[in-house]
Amino acid sequence: MTQIKKIGLFTSGGDAPGMNAAIRAVVRTAKYYNIEVVGIRRGYEGMINGELFPMDGKSVANIIQRGGTILKTARSEQFKTAEGRRLAYDQLVKHGIQGLVAIGGDGTFTGARIFGSEYDMPIVGLPGTIDNDLYGTDFTIGYDTAINTVIDAVDKIRDTAESHDRLFIVEVMGRDSGLIALRTGIASGAEAIIIPETKRDINALMDRLENGRKDKSSKIVMVAEGEDPGGAFEIGRQVKEKFPNYDTRVSILGHIQRGGKPSCMDRVLASRVGVAAVEALRDGHRNEMIGIVHNEIAFTPFEHACKHHVEINANFLKIVEILSI
């Protein structure tokens, strides 16, 4: 067991509902083990610029239900350079920090992996991203809230689609991952789902629309934002060209998916991995992401906990095809 007396805590990359619950869990667990916590504002950029401050139990009061992150977040070009990482390390040494807890996604852990290899600084990561695209955890912090936000929005869109006999192309977040589109497409009764992983030809969508039920008064097509150049607007244009009789509309949900109060599932997930993060540093873990696999705490090296490792469940795509009849 490592005698760590002071740790640094930061959030980085895109915000995700539940990050505040994770911050709260880390701070209160550290207090339980008599470990000081230094908050770092604005991620790696704030680390470089010395935006560090002490945190205690009062610092995290009444935040478990809040979306976003009280520590703020930012992307850092400086940290991608050796000089920038040196400045960050000097700040950590200056404040007596002996270990780090990083809450974020692929970019956050890539930076942590490089930083940890250059300096003798134990780092553990918590998976905070709405995309659920990290290997080593069944779910990431923010994913459950995001998909429920999408479902709520698409249910409202369906009301208008039904009233006007319209076809809606709905674009959700997922530049490199279609997991949001896939799960919400099934849950919202979408006629088709277009995601980066399948590289589905636009002709397959046209066939689905042409050969599907003609008596359905509304149709929903879910599209992950990174699927094609032009995204949902380009797909909508092609659909209008092919089926001028359809009243086709495009709706891009955008950043509402990243905000809002975290769901119960995200609060519990964040709390579990937040507690585990502090205990992991005490037990000598370093350069690992802490997730939950089969309802148990799991540790995954940063180099493995990255995008593109999560395979799409082919059965989900089959479900979409069956249930759209």
Side-chain angles (χ1 to χ4, degrees):
M1 185 174 291
T2 306
Q3 294 300 312
I4 287 182
K5 297 298 184 183
K6 183 182 287 190
I7 62 174
L9 170 63
F10 66 98
T11 52
S12 179
D15 61 303
M19 281 184 164
N20 282 328
I23 292 169
R24 172 182 179 270
V26 170
V27 171
R28 294 200 168 175
T29 305
K31 181 180 179 182
Y32 178 86
Y33 287 112
N34 296 313
I35 297 172
E36 294 180 61
V37 178
V38 175
I40 303 168
R41 292 190 181 92
R42 300 194 310 115
Y44 291 121
E45 191 71 6
M47 193 183 298
I48 291 170
N49 296 331
E51 299 181 43
L52 287 73
F53 67 101
M55 298 186 75
D56 56 21
K58 183 180 280 189
S59 304
V60 294
N62 200 32
I63 68 168
I64 194 171
Q65 78 280 8
R66 290 171 56 184
T69 163
I70 63 167
L71 291 178
K72 308 295 184 180
T73 182
R75 305 191 190 278
S76 177
E77 291 300 317
Q78 275 194 91
F79 196 77
K80 294 178 181 179
T81 68
E83 294 80 5
R85 292 190 294 274
R86 180 71 209 186
L87 290 173
Y89 180 71
D90 289 343
Q91 289 288 353
L92 299 179
V93 171
K94 176 182 175 182
H95 287 82
I97 293 172
Q98 300 168 292
L100 288 173
V101 177
I103 307 172
D106 179 66
T108 302
F109 298 155
T110 298
R113 177 182 58 80
I114 296 171
F115 192 59
S117 68
E118 292 177 336
Y119 300 100
D120 185 24
M121 178 65 63
I123 310 172
V124 295
L126 303 186
T129 169
I130 66 168
D131 290 331
N132 202 40
D133 58 357
L134 296 172
Y135 179 80
T137 187
D138 290 337
F139 296 103
T140 57
I141 297 167
Y143 176 64
D144 185 69
T145 305
I147 59 177
N148 279 288
T149 297
V150 171
I151 287 300
D152 183 60
V154 175
D155 284 349
K156 291 179 170 68
I157 289 171
R158 178 76 79 173
D159 290 342
T160 292
E162 287 279 350
S163 299
H164 294 271
D165 294 335
R166 285 176 177 163
L167 183 157
F168 270 86
I169 313 290
V170 180
E171 181 179 288
V172 298
M173 285 184 164
R175 185 180 59 210
D176 301 308
S177 170
L179 291 172
I180 292 177
L182 183 59
R183 195 172 288 262
T184 58
I186 293 174
S188 61
E191 275 62 45
I193 300 173
I194 300 179
I195 56 178
E197 291 87 347
T198 62
K199 300 299 181 185
R200 177 167 293 184
D201 194 311
I202 189 68
N203 292 326
L205 170 61
M206 300 304 182
D207 289 342
R208 178 72 59 82
L209 295 176
E210 187 167 25
N211 299 318
R213 280 177 49 193
K214 307 300 182 185
D215 61 336
K216 294 187 73 172
S217 60
S218 66
K219 290 181 172 64
I220 301 289
V221 175
M222 299 293 288
V223 179
E225 63 180 333
E227 169 59 18
D228 287 307
F233 284 113
E234 175 58 22
I235 293 171
R237 183 193 67 77
Q238 293 184 50
V239 169
K240 287 179 183 179
E241 189 175 278
K242 176 77 173 178
F243 303 104
N245 56 309
Y246 280 147
D247 186 359
T248 303
R249 303 298 173 93
V250 174
S251 183
I252 297 178
L253 298 188
H255 285 81
I256 65 166
Q257 297 159 84
R258 292 236 295 249
K261 293 184 177 182
S263 66
C264 177
M265 178 176 171
D266 275 327
R267 297 184 200 192
V268 173
L269 169 62
S271 298
R272 289 184 68 186
V273 295
V275 170
V278 177
E279 293 180 340
L281 286 175
R282 293 182 76 245
D283 291 341
H285 287 267
R286 59 171 60 212
N287 300 327
E288 291 179 307
M289 184 195 81
I290 301 169
I292 294 181
V293 178
H294 303 312
N295 205 33
E296 298 290 338
I297 294 294
F299 299 90
T300 303
F302 284 144
E303 59 264 30
H304 296 151
C306 58
K307 291 182 179 180
H308 313 306
H309 283 258
V310 181
E311 294 184 1
I312 289 294
N313 188 333
N315 188 50
F316 276 22
L317 296 171
K318 184 68 173 178
I319 288 172
V320 175
E321 182 178 350
I322 292 172
L323 297 183
S324 65
I325 294 176

